[in-house]
Amino acid sequence: MLGLPEVFILPCASHQVSSMGDRGTSNHSAVTDFILVGFRVSPELHILLFLLFLLVYAMILLGNIGMMIIIMTDPRLNTPMYFFLGNLSFIDLFYSSVIAPKAMSNFWTESKSISFAGCVAQIFLFALFIVAEGFLLAAMAYDRFIAICNPLLYSVHMSTRLCAQLVAGCYFCGCISSVLQTSMTFTLSFCASRAVDHFYCDTRPIQRLSCTNLSIHKIISFTLASIIILPTALVIVISYMYIVSTVLKIHSTEGRKKAFSTCSSHLGVVSVLYGAVFFMYLTPDRFPELSKLASLCYSLVTPMLNPLIYSLRNKDVKDALSKLL
């Protein structure tokens, strides 16, 4: 789902670069920071972009914290589906917080610099939580499969212990992937510019700064992405194939509508996340601005939409919200 990174930073040459922050590194000196170029727009638009980011981030905080409070305080939502949904809100809240505050602060500063440690932390944490979300969405699809295809055995199959193990497994897979991506990115050698053509530290823009041959890294990156995306996508697709098959056998129109309504929110979230990720990684390197827009979708827009999708499409959540208010 993510490209793989690397960095031990042994600069290869000194270069003069633009005042935007494309500063060179002297021979054998360690890189201490990077420059986040961000969006290539006129300075007059920076305030507008700041306000837009601020609005989106405020909605992320309000929506996801609100969702977690609703799930924790309403006994009717003490079910596996809402346990997974609470963790989804936590993940969305956390990985958007890794990106948004720094991106907003850069609209007000000239240097737009981020420390080496800060860049490592951004890549590590963002990779951890975005990969964990991919596996969590697969676990949620499996939960819906059991609920619709084997409703009488739902409480047996989806026990509290199994739910906890599935969520722990999501975080574990995210952690392993993040360690691999971060260690690969930061073992690269950087020769010239330290200007990262993005609004946060991401693996692909950082790899473009390297003077190392990236052939092996691209192969490993593709392999890791395949290991992450294919199993999760396969679980989701197979689960919904069985769900659709089961729902079509229901004779009652009301029964079909109710069954589909429990899945529509999850399908919406999956479509938004996977669509943005595929778009970003299929965008050629010669179109960095398109890549930034796709990154914006899954790093900020998706965490903002998820609580709205679940609250607007879910009667239990709407009832719990009304009760809480």
Side-chain angles (χ1 to χ4, degrees):
M1 187 176 293
L2 296 170
L4 285 175
E6 307 183 31
V7 192
F8 178 56
I9 313 199
L10 297 173
C12 306
S14 297
H15 293 267
Q16 293 296 322
V17 289
S18 71
S19 61
M20 182 74 190
D22 294 5
R23 292 171 287 178
T25 55
S26 59
N27 290 337
H28 306 296
S29 63
V31 169
T32 58
D33 65 352
F34 292 97
I35 309 300
L36 297 176
V37 173
F39 295 96
R40 296 182 183 277
V41 296
S42 61
E44 293 77 17
L45 292 177
H46 283 185
I47 295 177
L48 179 62
L49 286 174
F50 171 80
L51 293 175
L52 180 62
F53 270 62
L54 182 62
L55 175 62
V56 170
Y57 187 53
M59 292 181 67
I60 290 171
L61 294 176
L62 182 63
N64 287 288
I65 292 175
M67 183 67 72
M68 288 189 287
I69 291 173
I70 291 171
I71 291 171
M72 289 187 292
T73 56
D74 195 311
R76 293 174 299 175
L77 303 184
N78 187 21
T79 64
M81 183 177 83
Y82 294 107
F83 173 70
F84 291 132
L85 180 56
N87 277 277
L88 180 66
S89 292
F90 172 77
I91 289 174
D92 285 342
L93 177 67
F94 204 104
Y95 79 68
S96 60
S97 297
V98 171
I99 303 300
K102 181 60 180 175
M104 287 190 293
S105 69
N106 281 347
F107 289 125
W108 296 98
T109 60
E110 290 294 328
S111 66
K112 303 183 186 301
S113 65
I114 182 172
S115 68
F116 178 79
C119 193
V120 172
Q122 264 200 344
I123 288 183
F124 178 83
L125 292 173
F126 186 76
L128 190 161
F129 284 99
I130 198 71
V131 171
E133 178 159 327
F135 282 98
L136 184 63
L137 290 174
M140 294 172 75
Y142 175 73
D143 170 72
R144 293 298 84 207
F145 158 71
I146 297 296
I148 293 174
C149 299
N150 297 286
L152 298 178
L153 298 176
Y154 180 69
S155 59
V156 176
H157 284 300
M158 299 305 295
S159 63
T160 302
R161 181 179 179 182
L162 177 61
C163 292
Q165 289 174 340
L166 287 173
V167 170
C170 294
Y171 288 114
F172 177 76
C173 291
C175 187
I176 295 298
S177 170
S178 182
V179 168
L180 290 173
Q181 293 182 56
T182 307
S183 60
M184 284 190 63
T185 299
F186 293 100
T187 51
L188 293 172
S189 298
F190 297 96
C191 303
S193 171
R194 289 187 285 124
V196 179
D197 192 9
H198 216 295
F199 61 94
Y200 67 91
C201 283
D202 194 21
T203 56
R204 286 177 67 188
I206 288 181
Q207 285 179 349
R208 295 187 198 115
L209 306 181
S210 173
C211 56
T212 305
N213 189 325
L214 296 176
S215 301
I216 300 297
H217 297 89
K218 288 181 178 179
I219 293 173
I220 297 175
S221 178
F222 178 79
T223 302
L224 182 58
S226 300
I227 292 173
I228 293 169
I229 293 175
L230 290 181
T232 54
L234 200 59
V235 169
I236 293 171
V237 170
I238 292 175
S239 295
Y240 276 100
M241 286 175 61
Y242 277 101
I243 288 171
V244 171
S245 175
T246 301
V247 170
L248 292 177
K249 295 176 183 177
I250 300 175
H251 299 292
S252 165
T253 304
E254 186 64 28
R256 287 185 183 181
K257 184 179 178 181
K258 184 178 180 180
F260 274 126
S261 68
T262 64
C263 302
S264 58
S265 299
H266 178 260
L267 275 176
V269 171
V270 169
S271 301
V272 172
L273 178 66
Y274 276 79
V277 169
F278 278 119
F279 179 75
M280 191 194 78
Y281 282 99
L282 291 177
T283 301
D285 287 346
R286 64 180 180 275
F287 301 119
E289 298 305 310
L290 285 178
S291 180
K292 292 174 193 177
L293 288 176
S295 298
L296 185 63
C297 284
Y298 76 74
S299 62
L300 293 178
V301 176
T302 299
M304 178 190 69
L305 291 179
N306 287 353
L308 294 176
I309 291 172
Y310 273 98
S311 60
L312 295 176
R313 301 281 303 176
N314 190 299
K315 185 177 183 298
D316 292 336
V317 173
K318 286 192 286 187
D319 291 344
L321 178 60
S322 299
K323 180 182 176 182
L324 182 66
L325 294 176

